[in-house]
Amino acid sequence: MNSDEQIVEIVKCGGNKGLRLMVSRYGQQIFAMIVRQVGNPMDAEELTQDTFIRAFSNMGSYDPERASLATWLSRIAYRLTLDFLKRHRPFIASIDDTEVWQTDITDEQIAAELSTGNEDRIQQLQTLIDDLPPNERLLLTLHYYENRPLVECAFIMDSTSHALANRLYRIRLKLYKKLKQYDNL
């Protein structure tokens, strides 16, 4: 099995073998990340192909000191997916979003509410996640679904770990408040 370094060298030499190796090693991972965001497998396949084409043509900018090959590919996929979602799904800001900081809810209360295990609650939560802006959904996908550490998420999303930790808290708080609205209906 070829190492990431070997794959990168093969790609840099212009060989299609390198692209095939890269796709066979990381194609499913990148596709899974994208399809969770766009919902449509055909769009996800196209974005996955675009990710590898972009990686192939920009391999000279890859720096193994900054990120693993998988993380670098995820960063490319993240940017392409975010652009796609911005073009195909209008962003709608909620008035509720402005109230996020006006609360005395603890992180433990939020965690308890979001992880009840109740099937109805899980379905409500998934619906709310699907309605989040693309960058928030992508952050949740990277951190919670793919179990990526905040350092990797920060590289992929071109941010800092601290900023993403704050953003995750605000997203969880927003989801918590919206779930409470379901309870009051």
Side-chain angles (χ1 to χ4, degrees), residues 10 14 23 63 69 100 110 118:
I10 294 169
V23 170
D63 180 2
L69 185 57
V100 166
I110 295 170
N118 174 302

Side-chain angles (χ1 to χ4, degrees), residues 10-183:
I10 294 169
V11 171
K12 283 181 178 179
C13 292
N16 285 334
K17 179 183 176 191
L19 182 58
R20 284 193 303 275
L21 289 168
M22 201 167 43
V23 170
S24 69
R25 180 166 297 165
Y26 298 111
Q28 286 294 74
Q29 176 185 343
I30 298 300
F31 174 80
M33 180 183 107
I34 294 171
V35 78
R36 276 190 216 105
Q37 303 311 308
V38 300
N40 182 329
M42 292 183 70
D43 289 335
E45 284 178 20
E46 186 174 327
L47 286 165
T48 301
Q49 290 173 358
D50 291 348
T51 297
F52 286 100
I53 290 168
R54 174 122 357 130
F56 186 74
S57 61
N58 291 296
M59 191 55 72
S61 68
Y62 170 65
D63 180 2
E65 298 294 319
R66 292 191 61 210
S68 69
L69 185 57
T71 301
W72 185 70
L73 290 168
S74 295
R75 182 178 181 150
I76 295 169
Y78 165 79
R79 289 180 175 174
L80 288 171
T81 302
L82 199 55
D83 288 345
F84 173 85
L85 290 171
K86 285 177 184 175
R87 285 191 314 270
H88 291 87
R89 190 174 188 184
F91 172 72
I92 301 170
S94 169
I95 293 174
D96 296 332
D97 293 346
T98 61
E99 302 173 15
V100 166
W101 293 105
Q102 301 168 356
T103 184
D104 292 329
I105 302 167
T106 67
D107 205 29
E108 290 78 23
Q109 289 172 301
I110 295 170
E113 183 64 32
L114 297 180
S115 60
T116 63
N118 174 302
E119 285 298 320
D120 288 337
R121 184 58 101 202
I122 291 169
Q123 185 58 47
Q124 290 169 340
L125 184 59
Q126 188 58 55
T127 299
L128 291 173
I129 290 170
D130 290 344
D131 290 338
L132 289 172
N135 61 337
E136 292 179 359
R137 272 196 333 275
L138 282 165
L139 177 56
L140 291 177
T141 296
L142 292 169
H143 189 65
Y144 292 113
Y145 289 105
E146 295 184 5
N147 297 315
R148 290 180 185 257
L150 283 176
V151 172
E152 272 188 43
C153 295
F155 177 81
I156 292 167
M157 298 181 77
D158 199 22
S159 186
T160 66
S161 298
H162 181 73
L164 292 184
N166 287 334
R167 193 177 309 163
L168 281 170
Y169 175 78
R170 289 193 310 267
I171 294 167
R172 288 193 315 267
L173 181 58
K174 184 189 318 185
L175 293 171
Y176 172 87
K177 291 175 100 179
K178 289 184 185 271
L179 282 174
K180 288 301 184 186
Q181 288 175 351
Y182 272 124
D183 293 342

